[in-house]
């Protein structure tokens, strides 16, 4: 059941008047989808808290601190920094309405060849970084009994059948999983959570600085090396989807009365999702008799 509070009812009546006064927090805002989204938000009179590991990269692209824009240098894996950033943003704008956990990077490499540190760092940024933001944003959102959290995953967080992308897909499956639970946890407070599964968008995600390869590759993994080469040399720069349109969709979805928990972006994402669903349905049916023979037969 969804609970409508008095504050929400009043807000909905004045939605058009107040929509562009909302405060957005966008992580990973110095490039790619995050940068494009922030530019669109500012151009549409929203107020934005934007974070990046490098403050100069933010201000060079988006300008200095102002009444509508607050750039913050932030290491998402530093929990105390995240808490401080949320407090600073709240102090500057007086509140927060939409959170976009966009920061992350791709780690290519098979499970055998990636080191412990390579795997751990990927989960630290892609999973724990987002959870840090959620944990420190929630007290404010609960208090005002409204808000929307977008967690940017990947279609690789729904379909992981790509050699050499297991750890990356694992982090994005984790994002999808905790977002599903988050959506149920926050629903009674009038807050929404959406996991976003983008397909291939023409950003710098597959460029140096956004994607990493195994430091000690194993030559025997021919399929993984081929996938790596295809992504870095052939797909990079030729992705079929427009990130400008993705940013527009996120803004539109944030304004829906009942936003979805799952949001796939791109025809390619839809195709891959349908293929995965069809495969699961086939395997459920094929193994049903055997796999459901687990009940305890009482004497």
């Amino acid at each position: 059941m969804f609970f409508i509070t008095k504050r929400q009812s009043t807000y909905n009546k004045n939605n058009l008047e107040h929509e562009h006064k909302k405060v957005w927090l966008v992580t990973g805002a110095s490039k790619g989808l995050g940068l494009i989204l922030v530019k669109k938000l500012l151009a549409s009179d929203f107020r934005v808290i934007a974070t990046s590991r490098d403050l100069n990269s933010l201000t060079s692209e988006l300008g200095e601190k102002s009444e509508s824009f607050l750039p913050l240098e932030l290491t998402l894996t530093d929990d105390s920094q995240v808490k401080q950033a949320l407090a600073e943003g709240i102090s500057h704008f007086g509140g927060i309405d939409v959170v976009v956990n966009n920061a992350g990077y791709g780690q290519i490499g098979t499970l055998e060849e990636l080191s412990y540190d390579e795997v751990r760092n990927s989960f630290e940024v892609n999973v724990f970084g987002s959870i840090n933001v959620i944990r420190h944003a929630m007290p404010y959102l609960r208090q005002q009994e409204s808000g929307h959290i977008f967690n940017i995953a990947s279609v690789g967080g729904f379909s992981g059948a790509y050699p050499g992308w297991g750890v990356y897909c694992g982090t994005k499956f984790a994002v999808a999983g905790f977002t599903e639970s988050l959506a149920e946890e926050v629903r009674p407070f009038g807050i929404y959570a959406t996991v976003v599964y983008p397909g291939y968008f023409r950003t710098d995600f597959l460029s140096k600085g956004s994607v990493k390869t195994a430091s000690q590759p194993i030559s025997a993994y021919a399929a993984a090396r081929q996938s790596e080469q295809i992504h870095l040399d052939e797909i990079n720069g030729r992705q079929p989807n427009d990130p400008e349109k993705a940013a527009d969709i996120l803004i539109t979805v944030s304004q829906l009365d009942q936003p979805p928990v799952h949001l796939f972006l791109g025809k390619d994402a839809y195709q891959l999702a349908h293929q995965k669903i069809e495969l699961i349905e086939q395997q459920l049916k094929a193994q049903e008799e055997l796999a459901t023979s687990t009940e305890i037969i009482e004497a």
Side-chain angles (χ1 to χ4, degrees):
M1 180 179 294
F2 177 68
F3 300 91
I4 300 293
T5 66
K6 182 177 181 181
R7 182 186 185 281
Q8 287 175 281
S9 178
T10 302
Y11 177 85
N12 290 337
K13 291 178 183 178
N14 299 287
N15 188 51
L16 293 178
E17 178 183 351
H18 293 289
E19 188 66 48
H20 286 180
K21 295 182 181 180
K22 282 187 174 181
V23 179
W24 287 60
L25 167 66
V26 181
T27 69
S30 62
K31 57 185 177 180
L33 175 61
L35 176 61
I36 292 170
L37 176 60
V38 171
K39 286 182 176 180
K40 284 185 174 289
L41 290 169
L42 292 174
S44 300
D45 298 323
F46 291 97
R47 296 174 292 170
V48 182
I49 307 162
T51 78
S52 173
R53 291 173 297 171
D54 179 13
L55 184 61
N56 290 333
S57 65
L58 278 178
T59 55
S60 64
E61 289 281 359
L62 298 163
E64 302 291 336
K65 175 181 175 181
S66 68
E67 291 183 358
S68 60
F69 178 57
L70 178 64
L72 295 175
E73 186 168 293
L74 176 61
T75 300
L76 290 172
T77 55
D78 186 327
D79 190 56
S80 61
Q81 277 194 28
V82 174
K83 183 178 181 179
Q84 181 179 348
L86 264 295
E88 188 172 346
I90 297 297
S91 176
H92 186 73
F93 290 121
I96 189 170
D97 298 289
V98 184
V99 174
V100 182
N101 277 311
N102 171 70
Y105 71 93
Q107 175 67 67
I108 305 176
T110 66
L111 296 184
E112 179 185 356
E113 63 195 357
L114 290 179
S115 69
Y116 170 81
D117 286 339
E118 286 171 318
V119 175
R120 184 196 63 192
N121 291 341
S122 188
F123 275 86
E124 287 280 358
V125 174
N126 293 359
V127 179
F128 299 129
S130 294
I131 293 175
N132 288 343
V133 173
I134 292 166
R135 187 169 57 251
H136 293 300
M138 275 306 303
Y140 301 104
L141 300 179
R142 275 195 301 104
Q143 184 176 18
Q144 70 188 21
E145 297 183 313
S146 68
H148 195 160
I149 298 171
F150 288 94
N151 294 321
I152 309 299
S154 163
V155 70
F158 187 79
S159 177
Y162 312 101
W165 290 88
V167 166
Y168 175 74
C169 289
T171 66
K172 295 306 183 178
F173 266 78
V175 170
F178 73 63
T179 304
E180 281 194 8
S181 293
L182 177 67
E184 297 305 314
E185 292 167 358
V186 303
R187 194 181 304 276
F189 307 112
I191 301 165
Y192 296 98
T194 298
V195 54
V196 183
Y197 306 91
Y200 288 104
F201 279 80
R202 199 167 297 182
T203 68
D204 55 4
F205 174 73
L206 292 174
S207 302
K208 185 178 180 180
S210 294
V211 67
K212 298 181 180 180
T213 57
S215 59
Q216 297 183 12
I218 299 172
S219 61
Y221 284 105
R225 295 291 80 75
Q226 182 181 23
S227 176
E228 179 180 312
Q229 182 270 325
I230 289 172
H231 279 83
L232 299 182
D233 299 333
E234 298 180 26
I235 296 176
N236 187 28
R238 298 180 179 87
Q239 296 94 326
N241 295 301
D242 185 350
E244 297 272 348
K245 294 179 179 179
D248 289 335
I249 291 171
L250 291 180
I251 295 171
T252 298
V253 170
S254 76
Q255 298 169 350
L256 296 177
D257 290 336
Q258 294 290 331
V261 175
H262 299 273
L263 177 63
F264 290 85
L265 292 182
K267 290 182 179 179
D268 53 346
Y270 264 71
Q271 181 180 5
L272 289 166
H274 284 305
Q275 289 174 354
K276 171 70 176 285
I277 292 168
E278 182 180 354
L279 176 63
I280 291 175
E281 288 179 341
Q282 290 173 351
Q283 295 187 351
L284 280 172
K285 184 176 181 180
Q287 304 301 325
E288 184 172 8
E289 183 176 355
L290 173 64
T292 59
S293 60
T294 58
E295 295 180 357
I296 296 173
I297 307 300
E298 301 290 352

